[in-house]
Amino acid sequence: MRYTPAGMPIVNAVLRHSSQQMEAGVARLTEFEVAALAAGEISGRFGEAPLNGVYQFTGFLTKKSRNSKSLVFHIIDFRADESAHLLDTGASNGIR
């Protein structure tokens, strides 16, 4: 956890997504990582969440900074998703 000059707590993270989506009737593996942050009250709860858990997030995407082309996902809320099934991609790099 870090704090802005105004004293707002912020937690930075990288979220990893892996799922199978249907496109034109064909199953397609979708995997990506996105930079994320939790600011304010949610940052404490997010900072204590177990790593490598499966979660469902609510939030929004915006530019990392005013002149940046990179995106960051701002976490508004999240919850553990016990109903989710981890997709085994067979990857040997630990990404599932």
Side-chain angles (χ1 to χ4, degrees):
M1 184 172 307
R2 66 181 176 88
Y3 293 87
T4 67
M8 180 180 293
I10 294 185
V11 174
N12 291 352
V14 175
L15 303 180
R16 182 172 44 208
H17 172 85
S18 180
S19 66
Q20 197 167 28
Q21 304 296 320
M22 295 300 291
E23 181 179 37
V26 177
R28 176 180 177 163
L29 179 61
T30 303
E31 294 180 310
F32 62 87
E33 291 183 348
V34 62
L37 67 83
E41 291 179 22
I42 193 73
S43 64
R45 190 165 60 95
F46 183 66
E48 294 174 357
L51 295 176
N52 295 322
V54 178
Y55 302 97
Q56 193 169 69
F57 293 90
T58 303
F60 60 93
L61 284 170
T62 190
K63 293 191 283 186
K64 193 169 190 172
S65 64
R66 185 174 163 166
N67 297 320
S68 176
K69 293 183 180 183
S70 298
L71 295 175
V72 63
F73 182 74
H74 286 245
I75 299 167
I76 302 280
D77 197 11
F78 74 101
R79 66 178 177 84
D81 191 354
E82 288 88 19
S83 67
H85 301 286
L86 292 177
L87 179 63
D88 187 351
T89 64
S92 59
N93 60 3
I95 296 175
R96 297 280 187 238

